[in-house]
mmCIF file of all heavy atoms in Angstrom:
data_model
loop_
_atom_site.group_PDB
_atom_site.id
_atom_site.type_symbol
_atom_site.label_atom_id
_atom_site.label_comp_id
_atom_site.label_asym_id
_atom_site.label_seq_id
_atom_site.Cartn_x
_atom_site.Cartn_y
_atom_site.Cartn_z
ATOM 1 N N LEU A 259 -120.418 200.850 25.548
ATOM 2 C CA LEU A 259 -119.020 200.762 25.960
ATOM 3 C C LEU A 259 -118.956 201.246 27.407
ATOM 4 O O LEU A 259 -119.119 202.437 27.681
ATOM 5 C CB LEU A 259 -118.112 201.628 25.079
ATOM 6 C CG LEU A 259 -116.629 201.423 25.423
ATOM 7 C CD1 LEU A 259 -116.138 200.042 24.997
ATOM 8 C CD2 LEU A 259 -115.757 202.499 24.797
ATOM 9 N N VAL A 260 -118.757 200.306 28.321
ATOM 10 C CA VAL A 260 -118.780 200.644 29.749
ATOM 11 C C VAL A 260 -117.352 200.660 30.296
ATOM 12 O O VAL A 260 -116.586 199.709 30.099
ATOM 13 C CB VAL A 260 -119.653 199.639 30.543
ATOM 14 C CG1 VAL A 260 -119.576 199.927 32.039
ATOM 15 C CG2 VAL A 260 -121.102 199.706 30.074
ATOM 16 N N ALA A 261 -117.025 201.767 30.949
ATOM 17 C CA ALA A 261 -115.736 201.892 31.642
ATOM 18 C C ALA A 261 -116.014 201.758 33.123
ATOM 19 O O ALA A 261 -116.935 202.388 33.640
ATOM 20 C CB ALA A 261 -115.115 203.253 31.346
ATOM 21 N N SER A 262 -115.239 200.925 33.813
ATOM 22 C CA SER A 262 -115.537 200.739 35.235
ATOM 23 C C SER A 262 -114.264 200.615 36.064
ATOM 24 O O SER A 262 -113.220 200.188 35.556
ATOM 25 C CB SER A 262 -116.411 199.496 35.433
ATOM 26 O OG SER A 262 -115.718 198.358 34.982
ATOM 27 N N ALA A 263 -114.381 201.004 37.311
ATOM 28 C CA ALA A 263 -113.294 200.838 38.280
ATOM 29 C C ALA A 263 -113.924 200.319 39.560
ATOM 30 O O ALA A 263 -114.827 200.951 40.110
ATOM 31 C CB ALA A 263 -112.593 202.168 38.526
ATOM 32 N N ASP A 264 -113.481 199.148 39.993
ATOM 33 C CA ASP A 264 -114.050 198.517 41.191
ATOM 34 C C ASP A 264 -112.953 198.272 42.197
ATOM 35 O O ASP A 264 -111.890 197.753 41.842
ATOM 36 C CB ASP A 264 -114.666 197.154 40.840
ATOM 37 C CG ASP A 264 -115.881 197.305 39.966
ATOM 38 O OD1 ASP A 264 -116.960 197.519 40.508
ATOM 39 O OD2 ASP A 264 -115.720 197.227 38.733
ATOM 40 N N ARG A 265 -113.248 198.598 43.460
ATOM 41 C CA ARG A 265 -112.255 198.317 44.506
ATOM 42 C C ARG A 265 -112.699 197.094 45.291
ATOM 43 O O ARG A 265 -113.864 196.963 45.662
ATOM 44 C CB ARG A 265 -112.140 199.506 45.453
ATOM 45 C CG ARG A 265 -111.190 199.201 46.612
ATOM 46 C CD ARG A 265 -110.635 200.412 47.260
ATOM 47 N NE ARG A 265 -111.654 201.289 47.795
ATOM 48 C CZ ARG A 265 -111.362 202.432 48.383
ATOM 49 N NH1 ARG A 265 -110.128 202.831 48.509
ATOM 50 N NH2 ARG A 265 -112.318 203.189 48.862
ATOM 51 N N SER A 266 -111.737 196.206 45.549
ATOM 52 C CA SER A 266 -112.015 195.052 46.397
ATOM 53 C C SER A 266 -110.809 194.876 47.316
ATOM 54 O O SER A 266 -109.849 195.655 47.241
ATOM 55 C CB SER A 266 -112.214 193.798 45.546
ATOM 56 O OG SER A 266 -110.978 193.461 44.931
ATOM 57 N N GLU A 267 -110.855 193.853 48.146
ATOM 58 C CA GLU A 267 -109.717 193.615 49.059
ATOM 59 C C GLU A 267 -108.436 193.330 48.283
ATOM 60 O O GLU A 267 -107.337 193.580 48.752
ATOM 61 C CB GLU A 267 -110.017 192.425 49.958
ATOM 62 C CG GLU A 267 -110.930 192.805 51.106
ATOM 63 C CD GLU A 267 -111.368 191.605 51.904
ATOM 64 O OE1 GLU A 267 -110.885 190.493 51.631
ATOM 65 O OE2 GLU A 267 -112.204 191.805 52.793
ATOM 66 N N ASP A 268 -108.592 192.791 47.065
ATOM 67 C CA ASP A 268 -107.411 192.433 46.265
ATOM 68 C C ASP A 268 -106.779 193.625 45.569
ATOM 69 O O ASP A 268 -105.654 193.538 45.089
ATOM 70 C CB ASP A 268 -107.799 191.406 45.187
ATOM 71 C CG ASP A 268 -108.336 190.128 45.792
ATOM 72 O OD1 ASP A 268 -107.940 189.821 46.933
ATOM 73 O OD2 ASP A 268 -109.154 189.456 45.142
ATOM 74 N N GLY A 269 -107.507 194.705 45.448
ATOM 75 C CA GLY A 269 -106.976 195.861 44.735
ATOM 76 C C GLY A 269 -108.062 196.516 43.901
ATOM 77 O O GLY A 269 -109.239 196.496 44.273
ATOM 78 N N VAL A 270 -107.648 197.075 42.766
ATOM 79 C CA VAL A 270 -108.595 197.813 41.929
ATOM 80 C C VAL A 270 -108.590 197.209 40.532
ATOM 81 O O VAL A 270 -107.530 196.910 39.981
ATOM 82 C CB VAL A 270 -108.202 199.310 41.875
ATOM 83 C CG1 VAL A 270 -109.069 200.047 40.869
ATOM 84 C CG2 VAL A 270 -108.324 199.954 43.254
ATOM 85 N N LEU A 271 -109.785 197.023 39.995
ATOM 86 C CA LEU A 271 -109.906 196.510 38.626
ATOM 87 C C LEU A 271 -110.468 197.631 37.754
ATOM 88 O O LEU A 271 -111.571 198.123 38.002
ATOM 89 C CB LEU A 271 -110.846 195.297 38.614
ATOM 90 C CG LEU A 271 -111.052 194.627 37.263
ATOM 91 C CD1 LEU A 271 -109.742 194.092 36.695
ATOM 92 C CD2 LEU A 271 -112.067 193.494 37.378
ATOM 93 N N VAL A 272 -109.665 198.063 36.783
ATOM 94 C CA VAL A 272 -110.103 199.122 35.865
ATOM 95 C C VAL A 272 -110.237 198.510 34.490
ATOM 96 O O VAL A 272 -109.278 197.925 33.978
ATOM 97 C CB VAL A 272 -109.090 200.286 35.847
ATOM 98 C CG1 VAL A 272 -109.482 201.314 34.795
ATOM 99 C CG2 VAL A 272 -109.013 200.951 37.208
#
Side-chain angles (χ1 to χ4, degrees):
L259 186 70
V260 175
S262 61
D264 292 275
R265 176 158 59 182
S266 67
E267 281 173 5
D268 299 332
V270 173
L271 181 61
V272 175

